[in-house]
């Protein structure tokens, strides 16, 4: 959800520069089931524009109406949306609405936090009742500093308030090593998922970031020049240069990194040959690193086209980072979300 909150902060900053107020809406508690879980947020601008959503679309109209008083008074409020009689999810949502007016100190701290790929925490103080209450609102904790997103001091919040704590990891990042047509499609779909996508192409390839819509970064470098310092466990890597020797060189360059996932294109035999030669070059490679390598990359969903293959690869990455076994939801017993 980090990328969603990042988008909210960016949109609120743009709105503020145009003289528009913003209201932040946060689902802070849930009884039963719902389309999205607590921690999902959306932003409402003074002109009625909504950024993001907290449900499949049914709750947002009511939230828009409830936000009018927050715009007028500046006071945070709680609303309860009982979906048991209006939605198919059979849940009761507890929603916090508050003015979103962070200062420049927060904006700069938040930007630095994202660039340095540090985690942060969002703390929302709330009541499980409809209405306006003192002491409710949201703070963001960055490097042990607390920032009120509304500009209101919440240090002495009402002791009867509950607090929803949400730890936010760095934005999930996908590094695509390769610059052919299939890499373009993977970039598009990964960006739609909310991931930050970096393209790494060969130094001699006549490609640029403009060839990859919505890419976050682009480098045209050799494997030995690759900067691996910011590769962490919120990173996935897909090797798709379509050249065995080049893939091997990049894999060697990655040997001391800690990504969550490394995907290899091609059949099983290509993976085995690649790993066999990799171990010859790097006999001391950690088992944990080898276990993160998946090849052929993707889930078996019958993919044929580059677009379908991109969906297959992204689906496998999601399964790995969420620690889920892929099955049809129609065959799953119990709740959809288990945690």
């Amino acid at each position: 959800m980090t990328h969603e909150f990042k988008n909210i902060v960016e949109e609120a900053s743009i709105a503020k520069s145009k003289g528009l107020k913003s209201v932040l809406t946060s689902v802070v508690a849930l009884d039963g089931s719902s389309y999205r879980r607590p921690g999902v947020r959306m932003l409402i601008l003074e002109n009625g524009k909504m950024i993001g959503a907290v449900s499949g679309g049914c709750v947002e109209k009511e939230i828009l109406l409830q936000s009018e008083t927050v715009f007028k008074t500046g006071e945070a409020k709680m609303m309860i949306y009982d979906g048991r009689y209006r939605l198919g999810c059979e849940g009761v949502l507890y929603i916090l609405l508050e003015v979103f007016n962070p200062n420049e100190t927060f904006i700069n701290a938040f930007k630095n936090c994202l660039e340095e790929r540090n985690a942060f925490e969002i703390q929302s103080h709330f009541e499980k009742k409809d209405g306006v209450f003192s002491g409710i609102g949201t703070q963001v904790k960055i490097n042990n500093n607390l920032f009120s997103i509304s500009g209101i001091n919440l240090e002495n919040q009402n002791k009867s308030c509950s607090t929803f704590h949400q730890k936010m990891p760095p934005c999930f990042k996908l590094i695509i090593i390769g610059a052919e047509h299939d890499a373009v499609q993977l970039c598009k779909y990964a960006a739609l998922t909310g991931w930050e996508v970096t393209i790494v192409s060969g130094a001699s390839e006549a490609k640029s970031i403009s060839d990859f819509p919505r890419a976050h970064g682009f480098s045209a470098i050799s494997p030995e020049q690759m900067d691996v310092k910011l590769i962490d466990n919120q990173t996935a890597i897909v090797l798709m240069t379509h050249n065995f020797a080049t893939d091997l060189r990049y894999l060697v360059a990655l040997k001391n990194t800690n990504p969550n996932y490394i995907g290899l294109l091609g059949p099983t035999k290509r993976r085995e040959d690649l790993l066999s030669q990799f171990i010859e070059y790097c006999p001391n490679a950690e088992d944990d690193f080898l276990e993160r390598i998946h090849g052929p990359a993707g889930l078996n969903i019958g993919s044929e086209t580059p677009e379908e293959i991109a969906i297959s690869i992204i689906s496998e990455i999601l399964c790995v980072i969420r620690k889920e076994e892929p099955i049809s939801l129609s065959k799953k017993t119990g709740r959809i979300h288990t945690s």
Side-chain angles (χ1 to χ4, degrees):
M1 293 182 186
T2 302
H3 71 279
E4 293 176 324
F5 189 68
K6 174 188 174 186
N7 188 44
I8 283 172
V9 173
E10 291 172 346
E11 291 288 341
S13 296
I14 293 170
K16 187 175 182 178
S17 69
K18 297 177 179 178
L20 291 173
K21 296 178 183 177
S22 303
V23 166
L24 179 67
T25 299
S26 308
V27 176
V28 290
L30 168 68
D31 293 335
S33 63
S34 183
Y35 185 82
R36 295 287 303 268
R37 290 184 285 177
V40 64
R41 296 172 181 83
M42 63 180 281
L43 189 73
I44 302 171
L45 304 186
E46 201 172 12
N47 60 8
K49 180 180 177 182
M50 293 184 284
I51 292 94
V54 299
S55 76
C58 302
V59 185
E60 284 69 17
K61 296 183 183 68
E62 181 66 24
I63 290 173
L64 185 61
L65 288 173
Q66 294 279 349
S67 70
E68 292 177 1
T69 59
V70 182
F71 279 114
K72 289 177 183 176
T73 67
E75 293 181 306
K77 67 186 289 188
M78 291 295 303
M79 66 169 280
I80 299 174
Y81 190 90
D82 192 339
R84 291 174 295 180
Y85 306 106
R86 292 181 278 187
L87 302 175
C89 295
E90 300 182 352
V92 179
L93 298 172
Y94 299 88
I95 303 169
L96 170 65
L97 291 87
E98 59 191 311
V99 171
F100 191 68
N101 187 30
N103 57 32
E104 283 301 312
T105 304
F106 165 76
I107 298 296
N108 292 332
F110 183 66
K111 182 180 178 181
N112 291 336
C113 178
L114 294 178
E115 289 177 352
E116 294 168 6
R117 297 190 61 75
N118 293 325
F120 60 99
E121 183 180 68
I122 301 177
Q123 304 172 358
S124 293
H125 309 292
F126 67 96
E127 295 274 3
K128 266 189 146 181
K129 296 179 285 189
D130 267 314
V132 175
F133 303 93
S134 63
I136 63 173
T138 297
Q139 297 171 303
V140 181
K141 187 177 182 180
I142 302 174
N143 295 329
N144 293 320
N145 296 312
L146 282 175
F147 300 90
S148 168
I149 60 93
S150 64
I152 298 172
N153 188 344
L154 295 173
E155 289 184 7
N156 299 314
Q157 74 267 15
N158 191 329
K159 292 183 179 179
S160 69
C161 289
S162 300
T163 303
F164 174 69
H165 295 269
Q166 186 177 22
K167 293 185 178 179
M168 307 291 277
C171 289
F172 194 80
K173 178 168 63 176
L174 174 65
I175 299 175
I176 300 173
I177 301 177
E180 300 300 334
H181 175 65
D182 52 355
V184 176
Q185 304 310 315
L186 182 58
C187 177
K188 286 180 183 177
Y189 283 84
L192 282 172
T193 308
W195 299 347
E196 291 184 353
V197 183
T198 296
I199 307 296
V200 178
S201 78
S204 61
E205 294 187 69
K207 297 289 178 70
S208 70
I209 195 169
S210 62
D211 296 306
F212 298 88
R214 298 184 65 178
H216 183 76
F218 178 90
S219 298
I221 52 174
S222 69
E224 293 73 25
Q225 295 173 315
M226 188 175 177
D227 184 2
V228 299
K229 291 192 296 293
L230 292 180
I231 295 176
D232 52 30
N233 63 3
Q234 288 294 308
T235 304
I237 302 168
V238 179
L239 284 165
M240 50 197 316
T241 69
H242 298 279
N243 181 294
F244 184 92
T246 304
D247 279 358
L248 178 59
R249 288 170 62 198
Y250 276 111
L251 197 59
V252 170
L254 295 168
K255 65 181 184 297
N256 293 321
T257 62
N258 184 37
N260 209 310
Y261 173 100
I262 299 175
L264 308 176
L265 290 194
T268 302
K269 185 179 185 306
R270 184 179 188 274
R271 178 201 67 204
E272 292 173 350
D273 291 343
L274 194 62
L275 290 180
S276 177
Q277 291 202 28
F278 171 77
I279 291 170
E280 286 187 24
Y281 282 101
C282 307
N284 297 320
E286 298 285 344
D287 288 343
D288 284 349
F289 178 81
L290 297 174
E291 288 171 1
R292 297 188 190 102
I293 298 174
H294 300 258
L299 297 183
N300 181 21
I301 57 174
S303 302
E304 295 283 351
T305 67
E307 293 82 1
E308 292 171 350
I309 292 168
I311 293 170
S312 167
I313 293 172
I314 289 171
S315 299
E316 182 178 47
I317 294 172
L318 282 171
C319 287
V320 170
I321 64 178
R322 303 280 166 80
K323 296 179 172 57
E324 294 283 355
E325 287 293 327
I327 62 168
S328 170
L329 286 177
S330 64
K331 293 179 170 59
K332 183 174 182 179
T333 57
R335 299 165 66 98
I336 294 175
H337 300 297
T338 54
S339 60

